[in-house]
Amino acid sequence: MSASERAEEQDKAAGGRKNRYLPGSAGRTVLASIYLRLPPKSRRVYAYLRWPEGRKTRERYVCQVGHDTRGENLAEAWRQALSVGLTSLQRPKKSTESWASSPAVRNVMRANRPRDTRPEMTLRSAVHALGLRYRVDRQPLAGLRRKADLVFAGPRVAVFVDGCFWHGCPEHYRPSNRNSEFWSNKIEGNRDRDAQTDEKLAAAGWTVIRVWEHDDPHQAASRIAQAVLALRTSPHRGAEH
């Protein structure tokens, strides 16, 4: 990809070149870009905001992205950066202030871990106690960049533990009062992605089980065990929510 093509790609992802001109140090305006990094032996893509500062290139972590195309990942990272205030490139002073839109959102984001969350660990323990063995944080389907929290490869059962905020739980999700449009689009996008994942896995013969983080782990484990044991002796495949 040529320099002009890369610039055009960044302009499109940011919603126009004007959005890429950000306030830097010493009152100067700089042209920023999003850089995507895939660490070795990792399937998680990390997005960074990059900009020139003198003879050096600075960068700041933005978020993780997981779309199917580079363009979608760049656009998601730019939306995140522009919505949560990461686009002020002046070196931040030490402060207890957070860029999160509200204390509630800040608490959710602090608790948001890519894996090994408390609900996941509790569910794993309950499933393990029933004598079932599984793989953790694996892609059920080759070529589909979506990871399930528990994978039973033999009977083809994929279990996802969904957080109430990030996946729009009908019981507990409450929209943010600030940056409401961004968060509404974000959660709706997550819901669409979940539905797409379920459809693709079901079409490939997998049974999908989704567990909300507020669900009773022992009841959820029992539901998982019933599906796994039934499918070990049956060719039936499907999707369960």
Side-chain angles (χ1 to χ4, degrees):
M1 185 180 292
S2 66
S4 61
E5 289 173 331
R6 287 196 297 270
E8 183 178 352
E9 179 185 55
Q10 291 285 336
D11 291 346
K12 181 180 178 180
R17 174 158 291 211
K18 65 181 185 301
N19 290 332
R20 294 179 57 202
Y21 284 105
L22 307 175
S25 59
R28 297 178 179 177
T29 300
V30 297
L31 184 64
S33 299
I34 289 291
Y35 174 75
L36 301 177
R37 179 179 296 154
L38 180 63
K41 299 181 180 180
S42 172
R43 295 186 181 275
R44 298 183 184 277
V45 179
Y46 297 80
Y48 295 82
L49 193 67
R50 280 187 167 184
W51 68 94
E53 189 172 295
R55 296 183 179 181
K56 298 182 179 180
T57 298
R58 304 288 185 184
E59 68 177 33
R60 181 176 299 169
Y61 173 73
V62 178
C63 62
Q64 290 185 32
V65 289
H67 295 285
D68 294 330
T69 67
R70 174 179 170 82
E72 289 177 314
N73 284 331
L74 288 173
E76 172 69 17
W78 269 111
R79 284 194 295 270
Q80 293 265 18
L82 293 170
S83 68
V84 298
L86 290 179
T87 51
S88 177
L89 305 180
Q90 299 176 9
R91 296 183 181 181
K93 297 178 180 179
K94 291 184 178 180
S95 172
T96 57
E97 293 296 320
S98 168
W99 48 263
S101 59
S102 70
V105 172
R106 181 160 60 250
N107 290 336
V108 169
M109 298 188 76
R110 281 176 176 170
N112 182 46
R113 301 171 61 184
R115 57 171 291 181
D116 298 335
T117 63
R118 181 176 296 178
E120 288 177 29
M121 299 293 286
T122 304
L123 180 63
R124 285 185 214 166
S125 179
V127 172
H128 192 277
L130 295 177
L132 299 181
R133 301 298 177 260
Y134 46 83
R135 293 183 177 181
V136 175
D137 196 40
R138 295 294 182 90
Q139 284 182 262
L141 190 61
L144 180 63
R145 290 175 54 185
R146 315 284 168 83
K147 289 186 177 183
D149 297 301
L150 282 73
V151 173
F152 300 84
R156 292 189 180 184
V157 175
V159 180
F160 296 84
V161 182
D162 294 336
C164 291
F165 178 83
W166 293 105
H167 295 264
C169 168
E171 293 185 42
H172 302 113
Y173 172 68
R174 297 293 181 271
S176 172
N177 292 326
R178 299 181 61 184
N179 294 328
S180 58
E181 183 177 358
F182 165 78
W183 286 113
S184 177
N185 292 336
K186 174 68 175 175
I187 301 306
E188 191 60 35
N190 288 346
R191 286 171 171 165
D192 291 344
R193 182 180 172 83
D194 291 343
Q196 183 187 69
T197 298
D198 293 353
E199 290 175 4
K200 290 185 176 182
L201 288 175
W206 283 78
T207 292
V208 179
I209 298 178
R210 290 194 174 269
V211 178
W212 288 110
E213 66 173 320
H214 68 261
D215 286 345
D216 181 277
H218 299 288
Q219 293 180 4
S222 178
R223 180 159 57 103
I224 293 166
Q226 290 176 9
V228 170
L229 295 176
L231 287 167
R232 281 178 176 171
T233 57
S234 170
H236 175 71
R237 298 288 183 265
E240 179 181 333
H241 298 270

